[in-house]
Amino acid sequence: MGTPDFAVASLDALLRAGYNIVAVITAPDKPAGRGLRLTESAVKIYAREKELHLLQPEKLKNADFLKALKEMKADLQVVVAFRMLPEAVWNMPPGGTINLHGSLLPEYRGAAPINWALINGEQETGVTTFKLRHEIDTGDILLQESISISPDETAGELHDRMKYIGAALLVKTIGGLVDGTVQEIPQQDVIRHLPDNALTAVIKHAPKLVTETCKINWDRPAREIYNLVRGMSPFPAAFTHLDNKLLKIYRSEMQRLTPEVAPGVWQTDNKTFLRFACRDGWLTVKELQLEGKKKMWIDEFLRGYRF
């Protein structure tokens, strides 16, 4: 069960490992673009190429869908980047349902773990396989693998690395479930063993990204804004305004030069740089997209833009 490109890597890995995929469940086709043409999910496109049985339920509690799912007689269900499942679905197969999550649970439970790890300036994250249960991302852990984060890595780049690392971990997890070498670990046991848990440990969360999260507050430290930019790149993108137009920033650099102007004031030489003042430094824009324009690098932008 999955929808975006992130889930395709896992489906491909399971097929290559020789597992029998009795069905693929993905989101219904949705209108997209200016013409609102119906668009198929990345998982659907891949499943059709491999001639896999495909289901696209509008509602997961629909009686016809539940009947069809039961008739598949799956031993195990695998969820990667899908939606919340009702108990009637996740509790159906004898082996239960396992999920691949883009963090080292119990840290960063929620819809956007990759983004929030970068926004918070983490140097390490990881992938986790776990058993689904009622509360989101709280099920028993099966396996985990740590991933180091580069200082200038964007969410898109980490996403592309993580989907393959996660896919390999998923195959390893299922193999371990089959031969009995993988044991379930309750997340509460992990929380209890966090350092200084009773006094200082706080589980970080990864809620859905909203417009307000993406808006740059120039009165914050340069490092914090820099991390926000890379944590939101390439989607949904951190933004500010330039000449009263929305400006999305995809890549940037920090300058540890104390501004002599108010936070949010911008400077440019009209040729090579555009920078915004932060609380304790400057954020120099490297890749951007101005409202009504295409995404471009700063030198290309400055060649054509008149302030």
Side-chain angles (χ1 to χ4, degrees), residues 43-73:
V43 165
K44 179 179 179 178
I45 293 169
Y46 178 87
R48 289 201 311 148
E49 288 175 358
K50 300 298 181 182
E51 299 181 343
L52 298 171
H53 184 64
L54 193 66
L55 296 172
Q56 293 180 273
E58 288 281 353
K59 296 182 179 179
L60 298 178
K61 292 183 179 180
N62 178 274
D64 291 337
F65 168 66
L66 292 174
K67 182 174 179 289
L69 194 60
K70 193 170 185 178
E71 289 173 352
M72 299 298 167
K73 296 181 179 178

Side-chain angles (χ1 to χ4, degrees), residues 154-197:
T154 66
E157 292 162 346
L158 181 57
H159 166 283
D160 290 347
R161 285 202 299 134
M162 190 177 281
K163 67 182 178 182
Y164 296 113
I165 297 170
L169 187 71
L170 190 56
V171 171
K172 185 178 178 182
T173 299
I174 296 175
L177 290 173
V178 171
D179 63 25
T181 58
V182 169
Q183 302 297 317
E184 298 182 25
I185 304 171
Q187 289 195 37
Q188 276 304 119
D189 289 357
V190 177
I191 293 170
R192 277 195 293 268
H193 288 90
L194 288 174
D196 301 324
N197 177 56

Side-chain angles (χ1 to χ4, degrees), residues 218 222 225-226 229 252-253 274-276 278 282-285:
W218 294 109
I225 299 172
Y226 172 76
V229 168
S252 62
E253 290 180 353
L274 170 65
R275 65 183 187 178
F276 288 82
C278 311
W282 293 88
L283 192 84
T284 302
V285 180

